Amino acid sequence: MQKLYIFDTTLRDGEQSLGITLNINEKLAIARQLVVLGVDIIEAGFPASSPGDMNSVRTISREVKGAIICGLTRAVEKDIDCCAEALREAEQPRIHTGIAVSPVHMEKKLHMSPDQVIETAVAAVKHAKKYVHDVEFYAEDAFRSDPEFLVRIVEKVIQAGATVVNIPDTVGYATPWQYAELVSFVMNNVKNIETTIVSTHCHNDLGMATANSLAGIRAGVRQVEGTINGIGERAGNTSLEEVIMAIYSQKSLYGVETGINTREIAATSRLVSTITGVPVPNHKAIVGANAFMHASGIHQDGILKEKETYEIIDPEIVGVPRNLIVLSARSGRHALKHRLEELGYTENRYDLEAVYKKFLDLADRKKEIFDEDLHVLMGLNGKDANGISIANISVATNGVSSATATVSLEINGEGITDAACGNGPVDAVFKAIDRILRIPVNLEDFSLNSVSRGSEALGNAMVKVRCSENGVVVGRGVSTDIIEAAAKAYVNALSKITTC
Ligand code: KIV
Ligand code: ZN
C-alpha cells in the first residue's frame, strides 16, 4: 500500500471563508487536535494577508510539532519572504506558492500571457527554495485550464524544485471522471512527474468534492487537501473525514493508506464546529448527529439481527461510542470517567473532581445526562471567559415584546450590575451587558438549539459579533436556562475581543 498524505487546510481555506476571526488560542487548539488526529500537513494560514495570519502561522510553527506546517503565498516575492519568516521556527516547514492557470484567470484577473505566468511561477518556486526544501506549487483553477498548458507549467515548476504539485478544482466544476482524466493526463505527460507528489484540492460547488478527490487518488494523486467538516469557500472544500473513511472502508479499491487515527475524527469535528461556530448538519456523512442512527422500523429490525445489514462503518471507529448507559445524578465518578474515556477524553486531559462537580450540578437540573451533554460539559471545563462571569440575571417580560433585564457580572472579582429594556428578553440582556462592558460591537448572528433531548435539555447558544478591530468573533454559551445560555454566549464573544 502506498501512503496517502493528508493535508488539512481548515485554518487557511476553511477559516478565510468564514468571515470570522479565530484568536490564536482557538487556532492552536485546532492545530494541536489535527496532530492528534494524525494529519501530515497543517496549512496554518496565509501570512502575507494580515498581521493576524502572520502571527498565527508563526505561533503554530513554534508551538505545534509532529506535522509539516505550511503557509500559503501568491507567486510574489514579498509574500514568500513573509511566509518564510512566519515558518522560521517550524520543525518541518513548507511554502505553498502558486498562480492561476486557466484562460479566464490569466487574461481577466492577472492580465498575463501564458508565458508570463510560467515565468512568474518558476521564479516563485525558485525564490521559495532559497528558504525551504519543501515547496508545493498550486496551479489555481487547474481544472478549467488547457491541459497541455498545465503539463507545461507543472514540468517547469518541478524543474525549479517543487516537491509537491497541487491540481485544484478551485471552482468545484469537475465531475469525478473528468477530474481523474485530467490527473491521468498530467501523470502521463509531465516527464519528471515521478520526482514529485501530486495533490488534489477540490471545492464542493456541485457537491462532488469528495468524489473528485477519490477519483484523483485512483488516478495517482498521493496527497489530498481538505478541511474538517468540509468548511470552506462557498459550498466548502473536500471533507477530509469523508475521504479518510471512504479509503478506510474500501482500501483495496484505492491501494493507499493514511496515518490517520480515525478514533479522533468525531472529537476533531466537534472541536472545529464549536470553535468556528459552523454547525455540522445532522445528516452530514461520518460526523453528523444522525450518521449512525437508524430510525425506520425495517432498518432497526435489520440492525438488531445483524449490524452489517445497514451499517458500513462501526461508529466506534470514528470515535462515536455505542450508547449503552445513560448517566444520572446517581452515577459515581467511576461511571463518569468510564463514559468520558469511551468518548475520547483521557483522564490526563481533565481534572476528574472538577468535571464531576459540574456533572452533579447539571444532573440536579436534568434527569438524564447524554453523551452530547458530556461533550458540552467537557467544553465548559475551562475558566470563565477572561475573568468575566455572570453572577445573576433577572428578566421581566410583559409577554408581548418588551422586556427588562437586570444583569450582574463579576469582572476579576468585582461585581457590577446594570439594567436595560429591550425588544424581548435576549435583546434586553444583551443591552444590559453592553452597558456594563462598553465594548462597541454589532450583533451579526444569534442562534439557539438544544443539546440532546427533552424540554429540560441544555440550550446551546451561539452569537457572532463584529467589531472594528477583530472582525467577526464567535461566542458560545450553554445552560438549561436559554436566557442564561444566550448571555453566556454574548459575554464569551465580548471577552475574546478584549483578549484578541
Ligand atoms: O482553491 C484553490 O485553488 C486554492 C489554492 C490557493 C490552493 O485554495
Ligand atoms: Zn481552495
Side-chain angles (χ1 to χ4, degrees):
M1 289 267 172
Q2 287 188 35
K3 163 112 179 171
L4 178 75
Y5 293 91
I6 301 294
F7 178 117
D8 180 277
T9 184
T10 305
L11 293 174
R12 200 278 299 170
D13 223 350
E15 202 239 12
Q16 104 190 355
S17 67
L18 297 174
I20 62 165
T21 314
L22 301 183
N23 66 34
I24 186 58
N25 291 332
E26 293 170 325
K27 289 187 184 178
L28 272 174
I30 291 177
R32 290 194 171 114
Q33 179 58 30
L34 290 171
V35 172
V36 174
L37 177 66
V39 307
D40 301 287
I41 302 107
I42 297 173
E43 188 162 56
F46 177 3
S49 68
S50 70
D53 249 39
M54 174 79 189
N55 183 39
S56 43
V57 176
R58 180 181 276 142
T59 311
I60 290 170
S61 296
R62 188 176 60 237
E63 305 282 331
V64 179
K65 306 296 168 192
I68 294 173
I69 306 297
C70 175
L72 186 86
T73 83
R74 294 168 297 174
V76 171
E77 277 201 4
K78 74 169 175 35
D79 275 28
I80 297 168
D81 297 339
C82 198
C83 186
E85 169 55 28
L87 291 171
R88 208 158 37 83
E89 292 179 79
E91 194 177 56
Q92 307 169 69
R94 174 181 294 180
I95 293 178
H96 189 189
T97 189
I99 191 162
V101 297
S102 62
V104 63
H105 277 241
M106 292 191 290
E107 276 166 45
K108 306 285 183 210
K109 186 179 88 174
L110 300 172
H111 306 292
M112 281 185 185
S113 69
D115 283 345
Q116 283 172 320
V117 168
I118 293 184
E119 207 179 300
T120 310
V122 167
V125 170
K126 285 189 174 158
H127 192 63
K129 285 297 265 195
K130 290 184 194 152
Y131 293 109
V132 294
H133 162 74
D134 193 2
V135 175
E136 174 169 344
F137 173 77
Y138 64 85
E140 192 188 1
D141 205 14
F143 182 70
R144 293 192 298 171
S145 68
D146 165 11
E148 304 280 353
F149 175 67
L150 184 62
V151 163
R152 209 147 68 80
I153 194 166
V154 167
E155 211 165 276
K156 291 278 190 237
V157 295
I158 296 175
Q159 273 166 14
T163 44
V164 182
V165 170
N166 179 7
I167 313 286
D169 177 19
T170 303
V171 293
Y173 188 58
T175 53
W177 44 95
Q178 289 171 310
Y179 189 71
E181 207 178 314
L182 181 67
V183 171
S184 299
F185 190 78
V186 170
M187 304 297 293
N188 294 332
N189 291 285
V190 173
K191 287 194 205 76
N192 46 6
I193 199 73
E194 69 291 342
T195 61
T196 189
I197 291 173
V198 180
S199 181
T200 161
H201 177 114
C202 295
H203 282 263
N204 201 33
D205 299 65
L206 293 173
M208 282 189 271
T210 297
N212 291 338
S213 302
L214 292 170
I217 296 167
R218 297 254 299 166
V221 309
R222 288 296 171 264
Q223 177 179 286
V224 171
E225 305 188 10
T227 60
I228 302 299
N229 301 335
I231 64 171
E233 205 70 71
R234 307 179 308 278
N237 286 61
T238 300
S239 285
L240 284 179
E241 64 278 4
E242 293 177 8
V243 172
I244 290 161
M245 291 316 293
I247 290 167
Y248 181 95
S249 307
Q250 299 202 62
K251 286 191 193 72
S252 56
L253 191 62
Y254 299 100
V256 293
E257 59 192 0
T258 71
I260 293 294
N261 175 4
T262 59
R263 288 178 193 271
E264 290 292 335
I265 287 178
T268 313
S269 161
R270 246 185 341 262
L271 183 76
V272 168
S273 173
T274 305
I275 288 182
T276 59
V278 180
V280 178
N282 285 348
H283 60 275
K284 166 85 175 62
I286 314 297
V287 290
N290 295 348
F292 299 103
M293 280 193 187
H294 303 277
S296 90
I298 294 174
H299 289 206
Q300 287 176 345
D301 180 55
I303 285 283
L304 289 173
K305 287 176 177 148
E306 168 55 61
K307 287 205 282 295
E308 248 182 63
T309 50
Y310 290 100
E311 203 169 86
I312 57 159
I313 297 168
D314 177 346
E316 298 196 358
I317 301 287
V318 297
V320 178
R322 291 183 191 277
N323 212 350
L324 298 177
I325 50 168
V326 176
L327 300 175
S328 70
R330 286 179 301 282
S331 307
R333 287 172 186 72
H334 187 242
L336 174 65
K337 185 176 145 213
H338 180 73
R339 192 64 188 159
L340 287 174
E341 241 159 48
E342 286 180 326
L343 292 171
Y345 300 102
T346 46
E347 208 189 339
N348 56 3
R349 283 155 100 177
Y350 65 90
D351 170 0
L352 180 61
E353 266 324 297
V355 173
Y356 188 62
K357 221 165 140 263
K358 287 188 172 166
F359 165 79
L360 287 182
D361 190 39
L362 181 60
D364 276 347
R365 286 181 282 153
K366 277 185 100 245
K367 278 200 284 295
E368 294 179 316
I369 306 285
F370 300 103
D371 290 347
E372 298 90 322
D373 299 317
L374 292 179
H375 289 309
V376 169
L377 206 70
M378 294 311 285
L380 294 179
N381 189 27
K383 295 198 177 62
D384 287 326
N386 196 23
I388 309 173
S389 58
I390 297 171
N392 194 43
I393 299 174
S394 71
V395 179
T397 144
N398 65 10
V400 184
S401 61
S402 70
T404 310
T406 307
V407 176
S408 303
L409 298 185
E410 221 175 87
I411 305 173
N412 297 325
E414 191 195 338
I416 307 182
T417 300
D418 214 324
C421 294
N423 195 3
V426 171
D427 188 41
V429 166
F430 287 4
K431 285 187 171 135
I433 293 170
D434 283 341
R435 287 174 64 91
I436 299 173
L437 293 179
R438 298 185 182 283
I439 300 170
V441 292
N442 283 330
L443 182 65
E444 295 255 315
D445 197 8
F446 166 63
S447 68
L448 185 68
N449 50 47
S450 80
V451 178
S452 76
R453 292 140 265 178
S455 59
E456 57 188 12
L458 284 172
N460 185 3
M462 189 273 299
V463 301
K464 287 184 183 165
V465 295
R466 181 182 289 280
C467 71
S468 50
E469 277 200 12
N470 303 100
V472 179
V473 173
V474 178
R476 281 193 175 269
V478 181
S479 170
T480 45
D481 176 331
I482 55 173
I483 304 295
E484 188 186 348
K488 281 183 172 174
Y490 196 57
V491 168
N492 180 242
L494 295 188
S495 72
K496 287 182 188 174
I497 288 171
T498 56
T499 54
C500 277

